[in-house]
Amino acid sequence: MRVLATGGAGYIGSHVVAALLEAGHEATVVDNFSNSSPLAVASIAELCGHRPQCVELDLLDVDALEALLQGGDFDGVIHLAGLKAVGESVAQPLRYYEANLCGSLNLCRAMQRVGLRRLVFSSSATVYGEPQSVPVTEDAPTGATNPYGWSKYMVEQLLRDIATADAGWHTALLRYFNPVGAHPSGRLGEETRGEAANLMPRLAQVATGRLPNATIYGDDYPTPDGTGIRDYIHVWDLAIAHVRALEVLAGDTALSAGVHTWNLGTGRGYSVREVIAAFEQACSRSLPQQVLPRRPGDIAAIYADPSRAERDLGWRAKRDLVQMAQDHWRWQQGHPAGYEDG
Ligand code: WQD
């Protein structure tokens, strides 16, 4: 299939584009490079032996977006472009709703106008807020706790509503848990500018000396070791799930029509201390640790029930926490400051 990947130069996006090419599909990257590097596309080309077309474009530029879709003869869109830092979204809600909600609305309107209605959307487990029970199924109550999560939820609702109005839409809502790691080759990874916010990228910065300590935000949670539990999923497993979801939408089964929601997680939760231990094993050094108060807005524990994706997509996450840490560390070692210095 000919696939348009919005945000295709980003951390998740670059892995999705590589997985598309590896599966024999054609991919066009659209990115505004606000949180990514054009060098990621060159790395994809090196890795896959085939350079995807790349168009620098912001989804807020409706005319350029429509012109691209008009002339692109695409079979589907994987929509990953968006802002994703929870803390930043609390400080800058307008920026987040404009990028995530308005960007998605422009994309859907442009797709509708050219008659393209097959879409895989990058959603997030953040739409569940604090779960009432774990593991979390796709039918669990939703209720975000920050503008980032609400923006993802609103786009999901937008997509459900347009599919109700027009049965021609084939849509997959992929709710990511915690993506970590990097392609095993060490050629693709997260472009972390400045101090990282998420746990594993921060541990990588401690291991390279860019941060003094591994900071544990709260060890008084109601969990076995007192630290927060999350469902970490290897970004390459996550990328492969996107290809499978698009192929299912393009198929001719009951899953090919309407809107389908799939949790993308491993079904296994790991605590902060377990992640630190796995990373120490991966980088063969002990990381100095510091316990700090809980981070505002953090929840104690969430992990996925991934059985629906396993059943419907014929997909399951294969890589374990140590492999996630090893692959993350390999990328960090080769690219301490992202693609610029690789
Ligand atoms: C994981 C755990 C922290 C850093 C966020 C977004 C989510 C998704 C992934 C986009 C928590 C603890 C963290 C540190 C720590 N992004 N922690 N020390 O908050 O679960 O999810 O990123 O889709 O939408 O919400 O990820 O990696 O920031 O935190 O103790 O230095 O590690 O308290 O328990 P989070 P995270």
Side-chain angles (χ1 to χ4, degrees):
M1 286 184 277
R2 289 175 52 77
V3 185
L4 180 70
T6 73
Y11 171 45
I12 313 289
S14 56
H15 287 86
V16 168
V17 169
L20 282 166
L21 297 178
E22 199 163 272
H25 299 293
E26 292 180 41
T28 295
V29 170
V30 158
D31 209 300
N32 67 4
F33 301 119
S34 64
N35 189 28
S36 57
S37 166
L39 295 174
V41 181
S43 288
I44 294 168
E46 281 168 29
L47 181 66
C48 303
H50 172 65
R51 185 182 181 88
Q53 189 195 356
C54 180
V55 178
E56 181 169 2
L57 185 151
D58 191 308
L59 297 187
L60 299 178
D61 181 348
V62 185
D63 296 338
L65 177 58
E66 208 166 301
L68 175 68
L69 285 170
Q70 199 73 314
D73 190 24
F74 294 108
D75 301 299
V77 176
I78 299 184
H79 176 34
L80 304 123
L83 299 174
K84 65 153 187 150
V86 168
E88 190 180 60
S89 80
V90 175
Q92 303 174 38
L94 268 178
R95 180 167 166 244
Y96 268 69
Y97 284 119
E98 183 179 54
N100 293 0
L101 185 56
C102 296
S104 301
L105 192 149
N106 289 343
L107 175 66
C108 292
R109 190 159 40 198
M111 288 175 69
Q112 182 96 20
R113 283 186 182 142
V114 301
L116 176 55
R117 290 167 294 179
R118 185 174 291 123
L119 176 67
V120 173
F121 173 59
S122 162
S123 189
S124 169
T126 315
V127 303
Y128 295 117
E130 176 99 50
Q132 290 164 1
S133 63
V134 284
V136 172
T137 68
E138 289 84 354
D139 303 321
T142 49
T145 57
N146 55 72
Y148 163 76
W150 279 119
S151 72
K152 288 295 185 180
Y153 181 79
M154 290 175 188
V155 175
E156 286 194 2
Q157 191 55 46
L158 163 74
L159 292 169
R160 283 187 283 266
D161 290 344
I162 59 177
T164 302
D166 173 352
W169 278 89
H170 310 237
T171 305
L173 309 177
L174 303 184
R175 291 177 176 169
Y176 305 173
F177 282 71
N178 286 57
V180 293
H183 189 273
S185 67
R187 289 173 185 268
L188 304 180
E190 184 155 26
E191 178 81 356
T192 303
R193 290 172 182 159
E195 185 172 327
N198 297 134
L199 178 60
M200 200 170 276
R202 284 176 68 84
L203 298 181
Q205 292 186 334
V206 175
T208 53
R210 287 184 66 188
L211 283 178
N213 294 306
T215 49
I216 297 175
Y217 294 138
D219 62 356
D220 57 350
Y221 284 101
T223 60
D225 69 11
T227 63
I229 290 175
R230 297 291 185 277
D231 183 332
Y232 299 93
I233 177 170
H234 196 290
V235 66
W236 190 238
D237 282 328
L238 187 78
I240 292 164
H242 286 70
V243 180
R244 287 294 306 129
L246 189 66
E247 289 169 349
V248 164
L249 292 185
D252 57 4
T253 70
L255 295 168
S256 308
V259 181
H260 301 277
T261 304
W262 287 296
N263 282 341
L264 296 185
T266 65
R268 168 85 163 79
Y270 288 102
S271 74
V272 175
R273 290 198 188 283
E274 287 174 313
V275 175
I276 294 174
F279 207 89
E280 289 181 324
Q281 185 181 330
C283 68
S284 311
R285 63 194 75 177
S286 69
L287 303 179
Q289 302 173 20
Q290 182 186 21
V291 178
L292 294 177
R294 295 183 181 188
R295 194 170 56 174
D298 269 353
I299 59 177
I302 185 167
Y303 50 91
D305 173 342
S307 53
R308 188 187 288 182
E310 291 171 15
R311 181 195 66 208
D312 295 347
L313 304 181
W315 165 90
R316 68 178 305 147
K318 297 194 178 94
R319 292 158 182 87
D320 65 14
L321 187 67
V322 173
Q323 216 169 338
M324 295 177 211
Q326 284 167 341
D327 292 344
H328 207 114
W329 177 235
R330 185 178 306 109
W331 161 258
Q332 176 69 37
Q333 276 187 307
H335 305 80
Y339 285 100
E340 308 306 330
D341 64 357

